Amino acid sequence: MLFSSRKPRSALSDLENFVNDLSGLLSSKDLDNVPKIADLRARLDSRLTDARDALVDISDQAAQRTREVAKAADTYAHEEPWRVVTGAVAAGVLIGYCLSRR
């Protein structure tokens, strides 16, 4: 089947889920009786903080890039409206032609 009813998950959301699961594991007190667990928890907690910071940075960069692209598209549409209209009409005709051939 070409299209699935399941929504695709992004690698970013998978990484966020992994970080949240690992954070929950670290907060569990079941592992307190294992030797050297405090050192391991400290290292993992530090790396989790770094991973969360990286996720925030990636998200901020993606949002900034999206705003830049949207502003560029808006500027282009205001400077060249007939080119945008012509492109939209051409795309509509092509899509209509393709759908009528079914």
Side-chain angles (χ1 to χ4, degrees), residues 3-36:
F3 298 104
S4 173
S5 62
R6 196 181 116 206
K7 292 182 179 179
R9 294 179 1 172
S10 70
L12 193 60
S13 67
D14 288 342
L15 181 59
E16 185 176 3
N17 289 336
F18 172 73
V19 168
N20 290 334
D21 290 346
L22 190 55
S23 179
L25 178 65
L26 287 176
S27 66
S28 172
K29 299 298 179 190
D30 296 339
L31 302 174
D32 283 342
N33 57 359
V34 178
K36 299 182 182 180

Side-chain angles (χ1 to χ4, degrees), residues 9-75:
R9 294 179 1 172
S10 70
L12 193 60
S13 67
D14 288 342
L15 181 59
E16 185 176 3
N17 289 336
F18 172 73
V19 168
N20 290 334
D21 290 346
L22 190 55
S23 179
L25 178 65
L26 287 176
S27 66
S28 172
K29 299 298 179 190
D30 296 339
L31 302 174
D32 283 342
N33 57 359
V34 178
K36 299 182 182 180
I37 198 71
D39 182 44
L40 177 63
R41 278 188 180 179
R43 287 190 318 217
L44 286 175
D45 191 41
S46 172
R47 290 187 180 157
L48 275 174
T49 301
D50 293 344
R52 282 190 177 131
D53 291 344
L55 282 171
V56 168
D57 289 344
I58 289 170
S59 177
D60 289 345
Q61 288 174 2
Q64 178 63 30
R65 182 68 179 142
T66 302
R67 283 190 293 273
E68 289 171 0
V69 168
K71 183 163 176 57
D74 183 56
T75 301

